Amino acid sequence: MWGIPKMRMTKCVLLPVKMLRRNIRLRREYLYRKSLEGKERSLYEKKRKIREALKEGKPIPTELRNEEAALRREIDLEDENTAVPRTHIDDEYAHAGEQDPKILLTTSRDPSAPLQQFVKELSIVFPNAQRMNRGGQVISEIIESCRAHDYTDVVLVHEHRGVPDGLIVCHLPFGPTAYFGLLNVVTRHEIKDRKAIGTMPEAYPHLILDNFSTKLGERTANILKHLFPVPKPDTKRIVTLSNQSDYISFRHHIYEKHGGPKSIELKEIGPRFELRLYQIKLGTVDQAEAQIEWVIRPYMNTTRKRKFLGN
């Protein structure tokens, strides 16, 4: 009655529905694999007990004697790749090394000029990153669009009264999502001596990860390192992520060899900032119901002697 052809309406509705069905199916498969982890871990512990008993010449534990024959057949068929069960963490970054990361950078709505400048510099820090003006788009629309265009990560930067204070790293298609606080942000634009810092190269950087020794630290380093592609051996650009007392310092340098390999000049090219992890979620940023893997609690702020990411 409004003069809109029925076929055109059908096409406009069906294309998003197909995409949504595919994402729902993939998400369901991922959750199913994740639900099997408990069973696989229990089976792995039973096999481990039998291996130890056979190796040390001890009798098989009483609770495993009824299952001994079936478990020993499975042990004989295993190798070093299949003996240890896979986890959902393996599935999240299973294809990370097959292609370079493709990152979308965006901000909170109505960003200030300092935040726009900081995100502009981040788009050069992260290779293969594309900067997008947020406008009126909601997070769920951005995530769906990035999935459809094969983006590997979405990075959102937030601010408070013109000062960048938060950074969210969301890995696609199914997570995880890490939430960081941003502190002591110094952009290249704020450095007065432009000649000293020079121009920022776009070569893939070498990555230095320092003091991520705990299990949570390794998890955090794994999320951050997959934002950078594999560099060439001769690149002179270096990105350092150094953890001290659970504050991750980001530094960006280039080096030059003026008088041979023993005389190396290190030059900081910016930007610089500190990150403080406060939450990791097993899902994308638009999923409010996603399981929380780790979150900092108010009482943790008083445990000064305890460090969560490293020594």
Side-chain angles (χ1 to χ4, degrees):
M1 69 190 251
W2 294 296
I4 301 175
K6 291 184 178 180
M7 289 299 293
R8 187 176 299 174
M9 289 181 63
T10 306
K11 287 181 181 179
C12 291
V13 173
L14 284 179
L15 286 175
V17 168
K18 288 181 180 178
M19 190 183 301
L20 286 172
R21 285 176 179 171
R22 178 178 177 273
N23 290 334
I24 291 171
R25 176 176 56 80
L26 293 174
R27 177 70 183 170
R28 194 173 295 160
E29 290 175 1
Y30 170 74
L31 292 174
Y32 174 70
R33 290 196 304 270
K34 185 180 166 187
S35 68
L36 294 177
E37 288 181 17
K39 299 177 183 178
E40 291 177 356
R41 176 58 60 178
S42 175
L43 186 62
Y44 170 74
E45 289 298 325
K46 291 179 181 179
K47 293 177 185 176
R48 184 183 61 80
K49 290 179 181 178
I50 289 178
R51 283 197 196 95
E52 290 180 355
L54 294 173
K55 185 177 180 180
E56 299 174 2
K58 295 181 179 179
I60 302 297
T62 309
E63 67 273 13
L64 300 178
R65 287 179 181 173
N66 293 334
E67 305 175 70
E68 178 189 358
L71 290 174
R72 289 183 70 168
R73 281 196 298 271
E74 292 187 18
I75 290 172
D76 293 337
L77 296 173
E78 289 177 346
D79 57 15
E80 58 182 8
N81 295 323
T82 57
V84 180
R86 289 172 58 86
T87 67
H88 65 275
I89 296 175
D90 297 322
D91 289 335
E92 288 166 357
Y93 294 100
H95 305 289
E98 297 177 3
Q99 61 181 2
D100 291 343
K102 186 180 177 183
I103 302 170
L104 180 76
L105 272 166
T106 189
T107 64
S108 52
R109 289 195 178 97
D110 194 19
S112 64
L115 182 63
Q116 289 178 336
Q117 181 64 35
F118 179 57
V119 172
K120 183 179 179 181
E121 294 183 8
L122 285 182
S123 66
I124 306 176
V125 167
F126 298 120
N128 304 323
Q130 294 183 5
R131 183 165 50 98
M132 185 193 76
N133 294 327
R134 173 77 177 272
Q137 291 190 351
V138 296
I139 292 295
S140 57
E141 293 176 356
I142 295 173
I143 296 297
E144 287 298 329
S145 178
C146 288
R147 281 199 188 106
H149 291 87
D150 296 326
Y151 280 85
T152 59
D153 295 272
V154 175
V155 177
L156 292 98
V157 188
H158 296 275
E159 66 178 340
H160 179 69
R161 294 185 177 180
V163 179
D165 71 336
L167 187 138
I168 302 173
V169 179
C170 176
H171 184 65
L172 298 178
F174 306 124
T177 301
Y179 297 78
F180 297 92
L182 266 176
L183 303 97
N184 305 326
V185 176
V186 178
T187 63
R188 287 168 52 87
H189 185 72
E190 294 170 345
I191 300 174
K192 296 181 180 179
D193 192 359
R194 298 293 180 85
K195 293 181 180 179
I197 61 174
T199 58
M200 186 187 293
E202 296 187 10
Y204 294 173
H206 290 295
L207 198 60
I208 299 175
L209 300 169
D210 178 50
N211 195 24
F212 292 91
S213 54
T214 65
K215 191 173 181 181
L216 178 62
E218 292 175 357
R219 175 70 157 153
T220 306
N222 199 43
I223 293 171
L224 293 173
K225 78 177 182 181
H226 283 105
L227 296 174
F228 298 90
V230 178
K232 293 182 178 179
D234 59 345
T235 184
K236 296 182 179 179
R237 183 181 171 197
I238 303 170
V239 167
T240 305
L241 293 164
S242 178
N243 170 49
Q244 294 293 329
S245 301
D246 292 342
Y247 287 89
I248 304 169
S249 298
F250 177 93
R251 298 294 183 269
H252 191 196
H253 296 86
I254 57 172
Y255 69 90
E256 296 177 356
K257 300 177 182 178
H258 293 293
K262 292 187 178 180
S263 60
I264 296 177
E265 181 184 352
L266 198 64
K267 183 185 295 184
E268 186 175 1
I269 56 175
R272 63 161 66 179
F273 52 87
E274 268 72 48
L275 295 170
R276 177 72 190 267
L277 177 71
Y278 65 88
Q279 185 177 347
I280 297 179
K281 192 166 67 172
L282 294 176
T284 52
V285 67
D286 61 323
Q287 294 172 342
E289 74 283 356
Q291 180 183 347
I292 294 175
E293 181 178 346
W294 182 85
V295 63
I296 192 167
R297 301 292 184 186
Y299 65 86
M300 292 181 179
N301 293 327
T302 60
T303 57
R304 295 182 181 179
K305 294 182 180 179
R306 185 180 178 187
K307 298 178 176 63
F308 299 100
L309 300 183
N311 299 324

